[in-house]
Amino acid sequence: MNILGIESSCDETSAAVIADGVLRSNIISSQFIHRYYGGIVPELASRAHQKLIVPVVDQALAVAGISRADIAAVAVTSGPGLIGALLVGVNFAKALAYGLNIPIIGVNHLEAHIYSNFIREPDGGVPQSLGYPFLCLIVSGGHTQLVLVHEPLNHELLGSTVDDAAGEAFDKVGKMLGLGFPGGPVIDRLAATGDPEYVKFPRSFLDDSGFDFSFSGIKTSMLYWLRDRKLLGHSNDITKPVIEPKMLADLCASFQKSVVDVLTNKMLLAVKRFGVRDIAIAGGVSANSELRRRMAELAAANGLRLSIPKFDYCTDNAAMIAQLGWMKLEHGIHSSIELDAEASLAL
């Protein structure tokens, strides 16, 4: 059973094939033009998807060694995301499914991130076993959510961000520090040689008994710290600060530690509340080396099993869309051909 997955929720055009539960291809075309604008430009993203979706899908099929006639179903991201970008993927998937007379499966992008931890590779590589129930921390540029997964396809949202997502805070701070877009990977790299105790940025844990997140305060503290030291450039132009390398590394390490402290604290709180023995992280920020290290420490100290996706499956990708599509089809779940894109689709 060959499942074609299509992802176009933001600025990656991706297609993947899963055959009988094993990943056979995963093609990702990233859009680098947004770096010149300091963030994603929705109209440019949509136009790029229109140009790329056909060759990306054709390449995914070729690498998997199948033709369109061999596809049993099409899984596509229907939300959340940029509405124009989503519509490109959804409408292509609907046309393909209709033309081939096969099922279409609408996939929630956030839910797919959870199941990126289950992707099996053809070389025998299998993900670390996750037992149900387990906790999954979804951390990306647009979302920070803590989810309790009771059983396959059965989730309970415990908490989410009340303002900036963790990845969004990384990118905004990266811009303040003159690191370009996206700032998260650069902050992670520079933090490796920095002092995480250089600045004591605040940690917002909100209600100590709850699972919601807040990262705007940490971001604003960085802004004020730089402004007070006249490191923001002329007229508070945060795009061109002048910071010497050692201080820059220390600031990156201090900021990164403050964000990771909040994420790991909430995970530990949930572990104690629900008594689970398995935990996972997913989403673009799950590629962050400090978050991976600290989650591994948390798991070791509390006798937990930790699952983290391979780097290829942390950021937006169609492999996770195909994976969830395959699981849904196994449970007899598919969508109407009238499936529509939903920019604010909830988990």
Side-chain angles (χ1 to χ4, degrees):
M1 183 170 65
N2 300 307
I3 308 298
L4 171 66
I6 296 173
E7 156 63 23
S8 68
S9 64
C10 192
D11 63 331
E12 265 87 26
T13 310
S14 183
V17 173
I18 281 185
D20 296 326
V22 178
L23 183 67
R24 298 298 178 184
S25 65
N26 183 40
I27 307 302
I28 303 173
S29 179
S30 299
Q31 303 170 12
F32 298 107
I33 190 171
H34 303 284
R35 294 181 177 180
Y36 297 104
Y37 299 93
I40 305 300
V41 182
E43 179 63 23
L44 294 178
S46 302
R47 291 180 183 179
H49 287 308
Q50 288 179 317
K51 292 180 181 178
L52 292 167
I53 192 162
V54 172
V56 166
V57 167
D58 287 345
Q59 186 178 356
L61 296 176
V63 171
I66 65 172
S67 68
R68 294 190 179 191
D70 299 317
I71 305 171
V74 182
V76 62
T77 303
S78 58
L82 302 175
I83 189 62
L86 288 167
L87 283 169
V88 175
V90 168
N91 287 331
F92 178 89
K94 286 165 64 174
L96 184 60
Y98 183 81
L100 295 173
N101 193 29
I102 57 177
I104 185 169
I105 306 161
V107 167
N108 185 303
H109 180 87
L110 299 175
E111 188 178 349
H113 270 307
I114 296 173
Y115 292 101
S116 62
N117 283 282
F118 290 77
I119 295 171
R120 295 174 56 206
E121 297 184 320
D123 59 1
V126 295
Q128 183 172 331
S129 175
L130 271 172
Y132 295 92
F134 67 88
L135 288 163
C136 185
L137 180 65
I138 306 171
V139 212
S140 67
H143 301 86
T144 302
Q145 298 182 329
L146 187 57
V147 179
L148 178 61
V149 185
H150 295 283
E151 57 189 11
L153 310 182
N154 181 2
H155 324 101
E156 178 184 352
L157 179 61
L158 302 179
S160 58
T161 183
V162 299
D163 41 55
D164 290 351
E168 182 181 3
F170 267 99
D171 288 338
K172 288 180 176 178
V173 166
K175 188 174 182 180
M176 293 178 198
L177 297 174
L179 303 179
F181 176 85
V186 185
I187 290 175
D188 187 18
R189 176 172 56 81
L190 294 176
T193 59
D195 177 8
E197 304 300 329
Y198 181 68
V199 180
K200 298 287 187 180
F201 290 117
R203 278 77 164 154
S204 180
F205 296 116
L206 301 177
D207 179 2
D208 287 340
S209 63
F211 301 104
D212 285 334
F213 301 88
S214 172
F215 297 103
S216 66
I218 302 171
K219 174 199 68 182
T220 304
S221 292
M222 174 69 83
L223 177 68
Y224 290 164
W225 194 94
L226 293 170
R227 184 198 63 184
D228 293 346
R229 289 155 183 81
K230 302 188 184 330
L231 293 172
L232 284 176
H234 300 293
S235 302
N236 282 349
D237 177 6
I238 63 175
T239 64
K240 297 179 180 178
V242 179
I243 305 173
E244 59 92 11
K246 179 62 170 69
M247 178 185 289
L248 184 61
D250 291 342
L251 287 172
C252 288
S254 298
F255 168 76
Q256 180 170 270
K257 184 177 188 302
S258 66
V259 173
V260 173
D261 280 352
V262 173
L263 295 172
T264 52
N265 177 277
K266 290 293 184 179
M267 176 64 88
L268 182 58
L269 180 65
V271 165
K272 292 179 177 179
R273 176 80 57 83
F274 297 99
V276 300
R277 307 314 302 167
D278 294 77
I279 60 174
I281 57 176
V285 183
S286 66
N288 179 273
S289 62
E290 178 67 6
L291 179 60
R292 286 174 170 247
R293 184 186 70 80
R294 292 280 299 281
M295 281 292 177
E297 287 181 352
L298 184 151
N302 293 275
L304 308 173
R305 291 194 300 180
L306 170 66
S307 179
I308 306 176
K310 288 183 61 175
F311 286 107
D312 290 347
Y313 313 133
C314 289
T315 54
D316 295 348
N317 66 91
M320 67 183 190
I321 307 301
Q323 172 67 34
L324 183 51
W326 179 74
M327 293 176 68
K328 283 191 167 188
L329 202 60
E330 275 203 317
H331 285 77
I333 301 171
H334 58 83
S335 305
S336 162
I337 196 64
E338 311 217 346
L339 174 71
D340 202 1
E342 297 183 55
S344 300
L345 184 64
L347 183 67

